[in-house]
Amino acid sequence: MCSFECLFRQGKLRLQKWYVPLSDKEKKKITRELVQTVLARKPKMCSFLEWRDLKVVYKRYASLYFCCAIEDQDNELITLEIIHRYVELLDKYFGSVCELDIIFNFEKAYFILDEFLLGGEAQETSKKNVLKAIEQADLLQEVRHLMKSMWGR
Amino acid sequence: MEAVNLLSSNKYTEKQIGYLFISVLVNSNSDLISLINNGIKNDLASRNPTFMNLALHCIANVGSREMAEAFASQIPSILVAGDTMDSVKQSAALCLLRLNRTSPDLVPMGEWTARVVHLLNDQHLGVVTAAASLITTLAQKSPEDFKTSISLAVARLSRIVTSASIDLQDYTYYFVAAPWLSVKLLRLLQCYPPPEDAALRSRLTECLETILNKAQEPPKSKKVQHSNAKNAVLFEAIALIIHHDSEPTLLVRACNQLGQFLQHRETNLRYLALESMCTLASSEFSHEAVKTHIDTVINALKTERDVSVRQRAVDLLYAMCDRSNAKQIVAEMLSYLENADYSIREEMVLKVAILAEKYAVDYTWYVDTILNLIRIAGDYVSEEVWYRVIQIVINQDDVQGYAAKTVFEALQAPACHENLVKVGGYILGEFGNLIAGDSRSSPLVQFNLLHSKFHLCSVPTRALLLSAYIKFINLFPEVKATIQDVLRSDSQLRNADVELQQRAIEYLRLSCIASTDILATVLEEMPPFPERESSILAKLKKKKGPGNLPDIDDTRWNVNGSAEHSEDTESTNKSPPSLMADLLPTNRPRPASSSPTLLSAGTMGSSHPFTDLLNLNSTPSAGASLLVDVLSDISTPAPITVSEDNFSRFVCKNNGVIYEDQLLQIGLKAEYRQNLGRIYVFYGNKTSTQFLSFSSSVTSSDTLKTQLNVHAKAVDPTVDGGAQLQQVVNIECLSDFTDAPVLDIQFRYGGTLQKIAVKLPVMLNKFFQPTEMTSQDFFQRWKQLGVPQQEVQTIFKAQHPMDTDVTNAKILGFGVALLIGVDPNPANFVGAGVIHTKNTQVGCLLRLEPNTQAQMYRLTLRTSRESVSQRLCDLLSDQF
C-alpha cells in the first residue's frame, strides 16, 4: 500500500496526498526531510531508497519530482509505473501538462488522483475509464455553469 | 463550516468543492465530522453514482474512526449489491479497505465476505483490481475465511498471463497485460502456502513459468515503461516463488534471471536484483545458485556509483557468505571499507566482525581480520566488537600466543587507534608471557610499548592499561620495580580521576605487600567466558530490526568454545543484556559465576587470602576498584552464600518453590510422620541446554549431625534442557535441633561450574503431632509447666494483616492442634501438640494473643524443654 504521495519541485510542494493518518506537524516534518533527501540524489541513481521503515519511489518529470512512499512488501517497479500512469492521465486531461496546470487546477489534479488511486491502492488502471469519470463530472459542472449564466445570475 | 454547507448543496460544483476541501484539509479528528457525516449519508443514499463516488472518496480520504462508526456497516452492502455500478463498487471496495486498516474492529465480517471473494471473477477488470487489494488485506488478517480466493486468483492470473497483449484493451499497459492486477494477484497468493490441490498447483506453476519465459522474450517496446511493467510482474512472481520455497527448479530459474539483471544497464533493476537475491540466498535450494554470482556482486560493490546499490551489494554478500567463500568476502568487504561511505561503515564493521567469527576456520585468521578492522575503521568499531575478540582469544588456548604476537606487532605502528590499545593492553596483560621469550618482545619492551600509548588515551583505556600493568607484575617479576615506579608517580597517585587514582594506589599496595603466591592467585589468568549469543549479532539485530537479517537468526555460534559450549544461546538469560559485563574493561563488575578460580579459593581454605588483601584497602568503595570488582559479587547471587530467602515461608507449609534463578528452579514437597520425614526435591532446568555433572548432596553442621539424620539419594548426573529431576531426601529426627541442613548443588552449565547452596526447610515443628484436649486438661498441663525456664514469651508487631482465618491456618500448619473454646477470650488462639524425636517426646502448649488495636501479638510457649520452647517461639513469631 502506498502510504503517501507528494509532488514537488525545488523546495515547493505542489500536491500531497496522505493515506495514513498523521498530524500536520508530522506531515510537515516528513515532507521537509523527504524533499531534502530526494533532491540530494544525483540523476543516474536508482529511483528507490529506503527511508525510515518505508521505501520511497520517486521520478523526475522536467523540474517536478513525483514521490511515493510504499511499504516494505510493496513492488517498487509497479509503483514507478503508477507515477507514470498518473502523469499520463494529467497529460491527457490537460493536454501536455505543465506545472502551471497543476498549480491553477489543483482540484482537478486531486480528482484525477482520487479516481486512479484510492486509500493508497490502484482503483482503476484504465486510462479511458478514469478520464471518462472525470469528464462526466466536468460535464455536470459545465451544465450547472451554463444554467447559471442563462439565468443571468 | 462553509465547506459543510457546500457539501450539502444540490449543485454538483459546490458539492465537489466541499468534498475536496474536506478531503484535503480536514484531518480525521475534526469536530465538524458529525456534520460532514450527515451530508455523506445523504449522498450515499442518493443512488446517483457520481454523488456516491464523491462520498466514498471522501470517506476513504478522511478514514477517521467516526466515519468508520457511521458507515462501516453500510459500505459492504453497497459493495456486493447486484445493481451497484462498477465504478461505485471499485470505490466501495477501497473505501472499505481503508476503514478496515484504520479501525478493523468496526468493520463487521459477515455473509458479504463470501461474496467479496467472487468479485475476483467480475467481468470488469477495474472492479477486480480494486477488489484484489481489499481481499489481500482481509486475507492477511483471517486467511481461513478467504481460502477460496486462491483458486479464483490462480484462474484469473492464468487468463491474464496467457492472453494476447491486446485482449485486455485499455488494461494493457505498454504491451503488458494488466500489470497492476497481476501484481496484486501474485501478492494475494503470498498470503498462503502453495496450493494443496495438485491441479491448481500445476496451473500456478505454469503461470510462474510463463512469466519467467516472458522475461527472456525480446521486448515488444523500447520504452522503459514496457520493461518496468513487465519486470514488476516478474519480481512479484519471484517473490511468490521465494515465499513458497518449494520448487527448486523455479528458484534456480529465478536466481539465474536475477543474475542477468545484476549486469543490466538500468540502475533500478540492479538494485532490485540485489535485493531479491538477498532473500533467495536464504533458501536452501538456491543458496548455491546465488553463490555463483559472487564476482558480479563484488564488482558491483567496487564500481556501483549509487550508495544505495552498494548497500544492497553488501547485504547480499553478507547473506551469501558461507564457509567456502568467507575469506574472499571478508577480504573484499575489508578493502571496500577503506573508502566506504560513512553512513554504512558501522554496519559494515559489524557484518565483517560477525562473518569473520562465524566462518572462522582458524583463529589466526579471525584475529588478523578483527585487528585489520580496527586499523581500517577504528572509529566505527563498537565496544561489542573488541569485547568479542577478547572473549574468543581467552576461550581459545591455541590462538593466545599468536594474538599476543599480532597485537604486539600492530602496536608498533606510530599511530594506532585507541581500540587497538585496549585490545593490546588486555591481551598482553593476559598472555604477554607467551611471547616474552623473544628478546624483541621482552617484558620490558612490551611494557614500554604499552606505556608509550598511555598518555594519549582516554580515562577508561588508561584504567585498563593500569590493570594490564599489575598483571605484568605478576607475569614478569623482573619489571616489577619499573612498574611500581610508574604507579608511584604523581601523575598516577594524584590523578584527578578517582578511578585511576584508586587503581594506582591499590595496585601499588598490592604489589608491595602481597606475596608471589597471593599475587598469582589474585591476578590469575582470566577463566573462559561462558558462551552466549554473540554480542555483536545482538547489536546488529537491534540496529536492523528483526526480519532484515536473512540467514542468520537461527544460526548457532560455532566458533567459540568447545562442543558443549556451542549450543548455549540460552545463556543470555544469565546476565541479561548487559553485554559490558562480558569483560572487565574498567569498572564493570564481573559475574562471579564465571570466575571459579577465585571462588574455589574461597571454599578451600579457612583463611581467605583475598579478604586479607581487601582489608589493606582503607576504603574499598564498591564497584570502583578492580579488586573489589573481582572479589565482590554484584550481578549474580554468590554461589557460596547459602540461600535462605524462602526458608521461613516453609515453617507453616510443606510444599512450594524454595529457590529460583535464571537457570534452575528448586521445588519441594515434604511429608512428616512422627520423627520421620521425607522431602521430594524437584530440580527444574529452565534453560534449553543440558546441565552436566549435576550433583546435589545434603550437608549438616557437626552439631546438627547428632540431632538429625539426613540421607539424600543419588541423582542422575545430567538434567536435560526443560526437564525436571527428582531427588528423595529422608530425614530422621534424633533430638531437638535449631540448625537446618544445607542442600549443595553443583552442575556445569555452558562450561562453567555453577554452585548453589540452599537451606533445606527442616524445622523442629515439622515433627509435631497435634493433640486435642479439653479446656480443663489444657490448663492443668499449662500449670504443670510453670517453671520459668519452660516458658518463653515474646511480644511482636504484626507484619501481615491480622486476619483470624489466616492465623488459624498458620497455627494448624505449624503442626499443633487448634483448641477452640479453651481460652476465656475467644480472640486468643490456643494450641497443643507433641514433638516426636527418636529419643524423647516433648509436649508443647502455645497461646497467641492478638491485640488488633496496637497491631501486636503476644506469643507464649510452654514445653518441658527450654531449648524447644525457644526454638518454636522463634520459628512461629516470624510468621505473623
Side-chain angles (χ1 to χ4, degrees):
Chain A
M1 181 196 84
C2 186
S3 296
F4 60 89
E5 196 178 309
C6 59
L7 225 94
F8 58 85
R9 57 168 295 151
Q10 201 76 41
K12 288 221 166 50
L13 199 58
R14 292 301 181 210
L15 181 147
Q16 53 175 329
K17 185 92 184 174
W18 298 80
Y19 298 110
V20 286
L22 286 171
S23 72
D24 283 349
K25 205 174 148 197
E26 283 171 294
K27 287 182 189 172
K28 279 212 183 77
K29 188 163 166 269
I30 290 176
T31 39
R32 201 182 328 116
E33 205 176 299
L34 186 65
V35 167
Q36 273 173 3
T37 323
V38 171
L39 286 179
R41 290 178 66 84
K42 298 192 185 73
K44 290 278 171 184
M45 283 187 164
C46 81
S47 319
F48 321 123
L49 52 119
E50 278 184 352
W51 186 76
R52 301 194 182 180
D53 52 347
L54 296 172
K55 297 191 286 198
V56 170
V57 177
Y58 70 93
K59 191 160 184 189
R60 183 179 166 162
Y61 290 87
S63 58
L64 264 186
Y65 285 89
F66 288 69
C67 264
C68 232
I70 53 174
E71 286 170 349
D72 190 43
Q73 294 296 310
D74 290 318
N75 191 310
E76 292 98 336
L77 282 175
I78 207 74
T79 313
L80 205 55
E81 292 320 298
I82 280 194
I83 293 177
H84 186 75
R85 167 99 330 166
Y86 181 52
V87 174
E88 280 185 352
L89 286 167
L90 293 175
D91 205 52
K92 186 96 179 208
Y93 181 78
F94 290 112
S96 96
V97 67
C98 71
E99 198 184 336
L100 286 181
D101 289 323
I102 299 173
I103 298 172
F104 290 118
N105 296 299
F106 70 94
E107 81 281 10
K108 295 289 178 208
Y110 278 111
F111 291 141
I112 296 174
L113 189 57
D114 272 349
E115 287 294 338
F116 176 46
L117 277 183
L118 194 61
E121 299 279 359
Q123 173 179 213
E124 177 56 85
T125 60
S126 152
K127 201 153 54 169
K128 232 189 282 171
N129 289 353
V130 173
L131 291 175
K132 205 161 70 190
I134 299 290
E135 273 155 18
Q136 263 175 0
D138 283 353
L139 213 62
L140 277 172
Q141 207 173 356
E142 250 124 56
V143 171
R144 302 282 178 187
H145 273 304
L146 221 64
M147 281 164 65
K148 257 191 218 163
S149 54
M150 269 166 61
W151 290 106
R153 192 170 91 90
Chain B
M1 201 58 220
E2 192 56 35
V4 178
N5 288 337
L6 285 171
L7 185 71
S8 327
S9 159
N10 277 327
K11 295 189 186 117
Y12 177 75
T13 322
E14 293 178 3
K15 192 185 276 298
Q16 194 187 29
I17 293 297
Y19 271 119
L20 179 65
F21 176 83
I22 288 160
S23 307
V24 176
L25 294 177
V26 176
N27 62 26
S28 47
N29 38 22
S30 162
D31 40 352
L32 288 176
I33 286 284
S34 61
L35 290 168
I36 296 169
N37 280 357
N38 204 26
I40 293 176
K41 189 159 258 160
N42 292 336
D43 283 335
L44 279 185
S46 71
R47 308 194 65 76
N48 174 336
T50 319
F51 286 6
M52 285 171 89
N53 268 344
L54 274 180
L56 288 168
H57 290 178
C58 179
I59 299 173
N61 284 329
V62 179
S64 68
R65 218 178 148 74
E66 288 80 3
M67 283 199 171
E69 274 163 9
F71 305 111
S73 50
Q74 199 180 350
I75 295 170
S77 53
I78 297 178
L79 177 60
V80 294
D83 56 347
T84 310
M85 297 269 293
D86 287 335
S87 66
V88 178
K89 270 189 199 168
Q90 286 167 276
S91 302
L94 292 176
C95 186
L96 198 57
L97 169 62
R98 172 69 195 261
L99 293 184
N100 186 49
R101 271 193 191 129
T102 43
S103 14
D105 50 315
L106 293 177
V107 179
M109 300 303 246
E111 53 97 35
W112 62 274
T113 48
R115 296 171 67 182
V116 161
V117 176
H118 286 278
L119 289 178
L120 287 178
N121 260 340
D122 204 281
Q123 295 285 317
H124 190 279
L125 276 188
V127 174
V128 186
T129 310
S133 293
L134 174 65
I135 294 167
T136 306
T137 309
L138 295 174
Q140 278 164 351
K141 286 187 178 139
S142 43
E144 276 306 308
D145 296 343
F146 293 88
K147 249 189 159 159
T148 42
S149 64
I150 306 176
S151 57
L152 293 175
V154 173
R156 182 54 94 166
L157 184 67
S158 151
R159 262 179 285 158
I160 295 172
V161 172
T162 51
S163 67
S165 53
I166 38 159
D167 284 0
L168 305 173
Q169 295 160 351
D170 210 29
Y171 289 92
T172 302
Y173 179 84
Y174 290 89
F175 305 100
V176 181
W180 284 280
L181 181 54
S182 311
V183 167
K184 284 183 180 189
L185 292 172
L186 288 163
R187 185 78 193 277
L188 169 60
L189 291 170
Q190 285 172 56
C191 301
Y192 294 96
E196 280 151 23
D197 178 51
L200 194 60
R201 191 168 172 157
S202 72
R203 197 165 176 200
L204 177 58
T205 309
E206 249 168 59
C207 285
L208 294 172
E209 272 167 356
T210 318
I211 295 173
L212 284 169
N213 290 341
K214 279 192 180 169
Q216 297 298 329
E217 289 170 11
K220 294 198 178 75
S221 153
K222 284 215 165 75
K223 290 248 167 115
V224 66
Q225 282 77 23
H226 170 69
S227 82
N228 276 353
K230 194 164 96 173
N231 293 328
V233 179
L234 176 64
F235 274 109
E236 205 60 50
I238 291 177
L240 180 62
I241 294 171
I242 297 173
H243 170 78
H244 284 173
D245 197 14
S246 60
E247 300 270 351
T249 44
L250 283 179
L251 281 162
V252 171
R253 277 194 71 182
C255 183
N256 294 340
Q257 182 61 52
L258 293 176
Q260 287 180 17
F261 285 151
L262 286 182
Q263 303 184 14
H264 203 276
R265 58 188 167 77
E266 276 275 322
T267 317
N268 289 344
L269 283 181
R270 294 197 302 271
Y271 176 94
L272 293 175
L274 289 167
E275 196 184 29
S276 290
M277 253 196 190
C278 234
T279 38
L280 265 181
S282 55
S283 162
E284 52 171 325
F285 300 117
S286 50
H287 185 79
E288 287 304 314
V290 170
K291 271 166 63 186
T292 57
H293 300 288
I294 181 165
D295 293 327
T296 323
V297 182
I298 288 173
N299 197 37
L301 190 62
K302 286 176 179 157
T303 56
E304 202 62 66
R305 273 196 267 155
D306 184 347
V307 54
S308 41
V309 183
R310 290 197 297 268
Q311 164 90 60
R312 288 284 90 80
V314 171
D315 288 348
L316 178 54
L317 282 178
Y318 180 71
M320 69 160 70
C321 191
D322 64 16
R323 209 166 281 282
S324 67
N325 54 18
K327 282 201 176 172
Q328 185 189 6
I329 286 179
V330 168
E332 292 293 347
M333 282 170 92
L334 269 178
S335 73
Y336 170 63
L337 196 55
E338 295 196 48
N339 37 23
D341 307 79
Y342 295 105
S343 53
I344 60 173
R345 276 195 183 183
E346 191 185 350
E347 195 185 318
M348 278 197 70
V349 166
L350 289 175
K351 286 186 167 160
V352 171
I354 289 172
L355 291 179
E357 178 185 334
K358 190 174 163 193
Y359 299 116
V361 192
D362 59 314
Y363 292 103
T364 53
W365 175 72
Y366 171 73
V367 170
D368 283 342
T369 306
I370 301 293
L371 290 181
N372 264 332
L373 200 59
I374 295 176
R375 186 176 55 76
I376 294 169
D379 285 341
Y380 298 90
V381 173
S382 56
E383 292 190 318
E384 288 85 349
V385 174
W386 75 261
Y387 286 3
R388 190 71 186 156
V389 69
I390 286 177
Q391 283 182 9
I392 287 177
V393 168
I394 287 186
N395 288 8
Q396 298 301 321
D397 300 342
D398 45 344
V399 77
Q400 289 162 353
Y402 180 80
K405 184 160 161 281
T406 321
V407 289
F408 179 76
E409 277 159 13
L411 282 171
Q412 304 282 351
C416 44
H417 195 270
E418 193 166 330
N419 280 337
L420 184 64
V421 179
K422 288 180 186 167
V423 175
Y426 203 107
I427 289 185
L428 290 181
E430 294 290 335
F431 310 114
N433 55 333
L434 299 177
I435 57 167
D438 191 328
S439 61
R440 282 165 298 173
S441 54
S442 69
L444 195 61
V445 176
Q446 285 186 35
F447 171 73
N448 286 337
L449 180 63
L450 280 181
H451 199 57
S452 68
K453 316 282 179 197
F454 187 88
H455 300 282
L456 301 171
C457 292
S458 63
V459 170
T461 312
R462 286 193 208 184
L464 189 147
L465 284 178
L466 286 180
S467 301
Y469 295 168
I470 186 74
K471 292 239 168 191
F472 269 16
I473 292 186
N474 176 39
L475 291 179
F476 318 119
E478 63 266 39
V479 294
K480 184 170 173 179
T482 323
I483 292 175
Q484 280 177 338
D485 283 344
V486 169
L487 292 175
R488 203 173 283 132
S489 73
D490 277 357
S491 61
Q492 310 298 352
L493 283 188
R494 302 198 179 158
N495 196 300
D497 188 88
V498 182
E499 172 73 24
L500 291 182
Q501 198 186 81
Q502 187 167 5
R503 283 193 189 215
I505 294 173
E506 286 175 4
Y507 291 160
L508 186 59
R509 293 298 293 159
L510 180 66
S511 69
C512 294
I513 290 173
S515 73
T516 344
D517 285 352
I518 292 174
L519 265 186
T521 315
V522 173
L523 302 171
E524 173 109 36
E525 194 177 289
M526 283 305 214
F529 287 87
E531 186 47 30
R532 58 185 59 153
E533 185 185 35
S534 161
S535 47
I536 317 175
L537 187 67
K539 166 135 183 180
L540 185 64
K541 273 185 190 158
K542 201 169 72 196
K543 207 166 142 60
K544 291 286 279 186
N548 280 340
L549 271 184
D551 193 26
I552 286 292
D553 294 331
D554 53 346
T555 315
R556 297 282 185 200
W557 290 83
N558 42 10
V559 165
N560 199 355
S562 54
E564 58 172 317
H565 292 189
S566 59
E567 301 243 308
D568 273 357
T569 40
E570 276 294 314
S571 53
T572 16
N573 291 344
K574 212 164 56 184
S575 63
S578 104
L579 302 163
M580 313 294 186
D582 284 2
L583 292 170
L584 193 149
T586 53
N587 49 2
R588 300 285 178 174
R590 182 182 164 76
S593 55
S594 55
S595 45
T597 45
L598 283 170
L599 295 170
S600 58
T603 43
M604 282 185 316
S606 50
S607 69
H608 296 226
F610 42 80
T611 38
D612 292 339
L613 281 174
L614 269 182
N615 293 339
L616 295 179
N617 301 326
S618 47
T619 53
S621 69
S625 93
L626 181 73
L627 267 181
V628 176
D629 288 350
V630 175
L631 301 174
S632 72
D633 172 39
I634 295 162
S635 56
T636 50
I640 293 315
T641 54
V642 176
S643 157
E644 49 179 301
D645 298 348
N646 294 331
F647 185 82
S648 68
R649 283 172 41 202
F650 283 80
V651 170
C652 294
K653 63 172 188 172
N654 285 331
N655 306 334
V657 173
I658 182 83
Y659 178 85
E660 181 156 26
D661 65 9
Q662 283 97 336
L663 303 177
L664 181 72
Q665 186 191 54
I666 306 178
L668 295 182
K669 210 173 152 183
E671 48 193 36
Y672 295 91
R673 183 167 303 147
Q674 307 221 325
N675 70 327
L676 299 175
R678 175 173 288 174
I679 305 183
Y680 296 93
V681 189
F682 298 94
Y683 304 95
N685 180 349
K686 289 169 70 180
T687 71
S688 58
T689 316
Q690 217 180 31
F691 292 161
L692 298 168
S693 6
F694 187 93
S695 74
S696 91
S697 57
V698 179
T699 52
S700 309
S701 65
D702 288 342
T703 357
L704 189 60
K705 276 181 190 152
T706 63
Q707 300 161 336
L708 204 63
N709 259 338
V710 185
H711 176 72
K713 298 216 165 130
V715 287
D716 282 347
T718 53
V719 188
D720 287 340
Q724 207 179 47
L725 182 77
Q726 181 188 325
Q727 186 180 28
V728 180
V729 180
N730 288 325
I731 296 160
E732 185 186 15
C733 180
L734 303 176
S735 68
D736 68 286
F737 60 98
T738 48
D739 215 342
V742 174
L743 193 59
D744 282 322
I745 298 135
Q746 280 192 21
F747 56 92
R748 293 195 85 78
Y749 171 73
T752 50
L753 189 66
Q754 307 282 337
K755 289 185 177 184
I756 297 165
V758 181
K759 213 169 181 183
L760 262 189
V762 181
M763 305 91 162
L764 188 56
N765 66 298
K766 297 294 176 196
F767 303 95
F768 255 127
Q769 282 292 111
T771 320
E772 291 288 352
M773 56 181 79
T774 61
S775 175
Q776 199 185 358
D777 285 345
F778 181 83
F779 281 110
Q780 195 185 354
R781 290 177 198 215
W782 185 260
K783 281 178 194 128
Q784 281 169 2
L785 298 168
V787 188
Q789 288 85 4
Q790 290 173 331
E791 184 191 90
V792 174
Q793 190 171 67
T794 177
I795 297 174
F796 56 94
K797 198 152 183 70
Q799 286 159 3
H800 304 284
M802 297 174 82
D803 183 272
T804 313
D805 290 340
V806 176
T807 311
N808 275 341
K810 279 183 178 167
I811 289 180
L812 284 172
F814 193 62
V816 295
L818 192 65
L819 306 177
I820 312 269
V822 170
D823 199 290
N825 180 352
N828 292 347
F829 302 91
V830 172
V834 178
I835 301 253
H836 290 256
T837 72
K838 195 181 175 197
N839 305 335
T840 53
Q841 298 189 352
V842 184
C844 169
L845 305 174
L846 73 85
R847 185 176 187 211
L848 181 72
E849 301 158 83
N851 181 340
T852 36
Q853 268 175 339
Q855 290 287 304
M856 303 284 274
Y857 286 103
R858 182 164 72 179
L859 175 65
T860 316
L861 271 144
R862 285 189 182 186
T863 72
S864 51
R865 221 173 246 250
E866 194 189 343
S867 58
V868 174
S869 304
Q870 189 59 54
R871 178 64 183 155
L872 290 177
C873 181
D874 290 345
L875 284 171
L876 193 58
S877 60
D878 265 348
Q879 300 297 312
F880 299 102

